[in-house]
Amino acid sequence: MTRKTRKKALPGLLWSILALSPWLQAVLLVSSSAAQEAILGKPPLDAGPVSSIAVRTDTELFRYMLDFQNRQNSKEVALLLNHDTWGDDQLTVTLGGQARFSLLAATTNTADKFSYLGRFPTDFSGDSATDARVLQANTAMTVHAGSWVNFYGELLFSDVFSFADFKQGSLQTRQAYAVFGDLDVTPWYAFVGKKNLSFGDMSTLSPFTQAVPWHYFGALGEGIGAGYAGEKLHVAVQAVNGSRGIRVADSEEKGKLNNVAANAIYTIDIAESSRLQLGSSFLLGTIYDGNVAEHLDPAVSGETNSAYDINALLQVGQWSFAGEFVSTVDDWPVTNHPVRAYKTEAAYDTCLFETPSRLSVSWSEGIQGDEGTEFEFNNQLVLGLGMQVSPHALLTAEYVRSIGFAPLLGITTVSDRDVVQNSAVFGATLVF
């Protein structure tokens, strides 16, 4: 992420549509003195001259912020890095969107058991599957309200994160948080709201399919935190609201800030085109603390079971190498074994048919049972190709081999270590 991003004027038709957004209406409404007087019943406090409003799109920024494939935990820093683009005095609203489409064709060696982690196992039956859908569609807005104040909000439609009704989808406010800081003045910053927790790397070098560590330990929740974003070192510590978060975060009592996430990343420049990034994280409370395997019911809880993460990324010229290991501190009561996941990956950036492309290989594994148990592992091999056919479009093709069938729900009763699913996954990611 650089400080210099391309800016485009928003077309008239697009502006008319996006102006209907409740977020944008609120920003424009409160910026009007007359509107404030109508709402509050009195004139607003005199804060000086009212700044003008700039509304933009920024493909480079939103390619990073909306990237579902690599939902890095430190995306709030990208808002601070855009300070030079936005300026100090002008109220700047930036709008963006993304959609991810997929076509999957798969076979399994065990009828009715499909172990590809990118779908729910109950989505398919028999010994083969074909599936075409929009996986996710995001729309987001950033607001630069001053040299020290920024806001990010993201709406997510998902055809995957819908538990009750098959292929009915869901619409949710996936993230909404404020960031306070100015990296031109100090490397320290603060944030509050709902965001990806400051825990783990959770990314992948594959073009479309996420690695196992994200499926096991990806965390999103609400709270407050602070960070340090220096030239080499980035550290963030977050106090998280109690009870169940999204996916993996959990603590017993709601109504208190009683969960904690912490993350540290250090970058070493080896040469002009080579660098090494090292990371370490800690999460105080996880869902792997109860006697029931599930991640929705906040009533299912137990003695705190923390998790830690170590990760590394090495980039040497056109080559990239990544690794991550994440584990609970104690046994999960459901399986009497720690829950662990790791990945090891490599990628090569090149040009195919005059198009920027990436070839990649990824092996990742989740382990939650003793050796020989039916629920011991979920393994995944991904061979991928991604082609950036335009600044707004990424086309992908992957071969995915999923080994072992150990779904979270019913893990001790329905698991089968001998299941193998072979999948061809074609994807398209569109962003502006």
Side-chain angles (χ1 to χ4, degrees):
M1 181 58 57
T2 63
R3 291 177 181 267
K4 303 298 182 183
T5 56
R6 288 175 293 177
K7 303 179 287 294
K8 298 181 180 179
L10 196 63
L13 178 60
L14 187 57
W15 159 249
S16 300
I17 297 172
L18 292 173
L20 298 177
S21 164
W23 289 336
L24 188 54
Q25 287 183 21
V27 171
L28 298 178
L29 189 61
V30 299
S31 67
S32 165
S33 296
Q36 290 185 46
E37 184 170 358
I39 294 172
L40 300 175
K42 59 181 180 180
L45 295 175
D46 185 6
V50 177
S51 62
S52 60
I53 300 175
V55 181
R56 307 170 176 174
T57 60
D58 190 330
T59 299
E60 184 179 347
L61 174 64
F62 283 104
R63 184 186 298 115
Y64 183 84
M65 298 299 295
L66 292 173
D67 183 2
F68 198 88
Q69 182 67 11
N70 297 303
R71 298 187 74 89
Q72 298 92 344
N73 57 52
S74 57
K75 290 187 175 183
E76 70 275 5
V77 177
L79 304 182
L80 302 178
L81 292 176
N82 263 355
H83 172 78
D84 287 351
T85 299
W86 291 331
D88 290 333
D89 299 325
Q90 188 175 55
L91 177 64
T92 304
V93 177
T94 310
L95 303 166
Q98 176 185 254
R100 300 179 74 234
F101 304 89
S102 79
L103 172 63
L104 177 146
T107 61
T108 177
N109 66 348
T110 306
D112 301 331
K113 291 188 175 181
F114 293 84
S115 50
Y116 176 63
L117 294 176
R119 302 290 189 278
F120 286 114
T122 54
D123 279 1
F124 309 119
S125 61
D127 56 11
S128 65
T130 53
D131 176 74
R133 66 173 76 181
V134 53
L135 289 180
Q136 293 97 20
N138 316 51
T139 181
M141 179 179 72
T142 68
V143 179
H144 181 69
S147 61
W148 285 77
V149 183
N150 302 277
F151 169 80
Y152 177 75
E154 176 185 337
L155 289 177
L156 169 69
F157 167 82
S158 173
D159 204 16
V160 176
F161 300 146
S162 53
F163 300 97
D165 300 308
F166 178 58
K167 289 189 176 179
Q168 294 302 301
S170 65
L171 181 66
Q172 57 185 274
T173 301
R174 190 66 175 180
Q175 300 192 74
Y177 58 88
V179 185
F180 308 94
D182 185 342
L183 296 184
D184 291 334
V185 177
T186 174
W188 296 94
Y189 68 93
F191 56 88
V192 60
K194 180 181 181 182
K195 65 180 289 293
N196 297 310
L197 297 190
S198 302
F199 176 70
D201 178 61
M202 307 301 162
S203 65
T204 180
L205 298 180
S206 297
F208 201 81
T209 294
Q210 284 145 321
V212 174
W214 182 89
H215 288 280
Y216 275 47
F217 288 97
L220 183 149
E222 293 183 282
I224 187 169
Y228 174 89
E231 291 294 328
K232 304 292 184 182
L233 177 65
H234 175 226
V235 178
V237 179
Q238 185 174 2
V240 185
N241 287 347
S243 192
R244 186 61 54 88
I246 299 296
R247 206 164 184 87
V248 78
D250 184 50
S251 58
E252 185 174 0
E253 187 177 3
K254 66 179 181 180
K256 295 182 179 179
L257 289 165
N258 57 12
N259 202 352
V260 176
N263 186 61
I265 302 171
Y266 189 77
T267 302
I268 303 171
D269 293 323
I270 302 174
E272 184 177 349
S273 60
S274 302
R275 71 184 184 102
L276 174 64
Q277 177 180 292
L278 302 173
S280 180
S281 296
F282 176 79
L283 178 61
L284 179 62
T286 72
I287 63 171
Y288 302 116
D289 57 0
N291 291 303
V292 178
E294 67 85 48
H295 55 80
L296 293 176
D297 187 357
V300 176
S301 189
E303 190 171 333
T304 299
N305 191 4
S306 302
Y308 63 91
D309 180 292
I310 55 175
N311 56 82
L313 172 65
L314 174 63
Q315 294 178 314
V316 181
Q318 295 170 265
W319 288 94
S320 297
F321 304 91
E324 184 169 17
F325 176 83
V326 56
S327 174
T328 59
V329 173
D330 300 313
D331 289 351
W332 185 20
V334 173
T335 61
N336 294 314
H337 191 279
V339 178
R340 296 168 177 158
Y342 72 88
K343 71 179 183 188
T344 177
E345 301 178 322
Y348 181 72
D349 295 322
T350 185
C351 193
L352 298 177
F353 307 106
E354 300 183 348
T355 302
S357 304
R358 166 171 284 187
L359 301 166
S360 62
V361 57
S362 170
W363 172 262
S364 56
E365 184 172 7
I367 303 171
Q368 58 276 321
D370 290 330
E371 185 175 355
T373 58
E374 293 296 333
F375 49 81
E376 179 185 354
F377 56 79
N378 283 304
N379 296 343
Q380 178 180 272
L381 170 69
V382 182
L383 304 178
L385 167 63
M387 301 183 70
Q388 194 73 50
V389 296
S390 84
H392 307 278
L394 173 69
L395 301 182
T396 65
E398 295 175 333
Y399 164 72
V400 183
R401 185 173 178 87
S402 308
I403 306 168
F405 180 78
L408 179 67
L409 302 182
I411 191 169
T412 59
T413 57
V414 303
S415 295
D416 186 342
R417 62 185 292 117
D418 296 322
V419 171
V420 177
Q421 177 181 335
N422 293 296
S423 307
V425 182
F426 302 94
T429 300
L430 310 179
V431 62
F432 75 91

